[in-house]
Amino acid sequence: MLEALQNDLATRFFEIPAERLQIGTAGTFEKKEDAEKWLAFVQSAFPQSSVYYFPLSCSIACHVGINALGVGVSVLAERN
């Protein structure tokens, strides 16, 4: 998953300035510590990026189960 995101950053988003990219992590963790570990792991893989964590909603959790995780990239809008 992280390799795919690294590839996307190098190929799909290479023209976007780093300050406009954010890495989002998500999960359905039972324990807060597990969510913190996932966030720290992703942050260590992308030290140059802003990384945040957001818990997945119950409507997603009921399909994927407990302790699922995910990652993605967001492009922030340009400010004029």
Side-chain angles (χ1 to χ4, degrees):
M1 191 174 354
L2 296 183
E3 286 179 20
L5 186 56
Q6 288 171 336
N7 183 58
D8 280 348
L9 291 173
T11 58
R12 294 177 60 204
F13 300 104
F14 72 96
E15 293 180 344
I16 308 291
E19 59 272 5
R20 289 191 48 222
L21 297 175
Q22 286 187 323
I23 307 297
T25 62
T28 59
F29 298 105
E30 288 184 279
K31 299 177 187 172
K32 183 179 179 181
E33 304 85 45
D34 292 337
E36 291 168 351
K37 286 179 188 176
W38 174 232
L39 174 62
F41 182 74
V42 175
Q43 182 67 72
S44 69
F46 301 95
Q48 74 287 356
S49 299
S50 171
V51 180
Y52 64 92
Y53 175 80
F54 197 78
L56 292 170
S57 68
C58 290
S59 61
I60 294 173
C62 72
H63 293 287
V64 299
I66 298 296
N67 296 319
L69 50 86
V71 64
V73 62
S74 298
V75 179
L76 301 175
E78 287 187 81
R79 294 186 181 228
N80 294 332

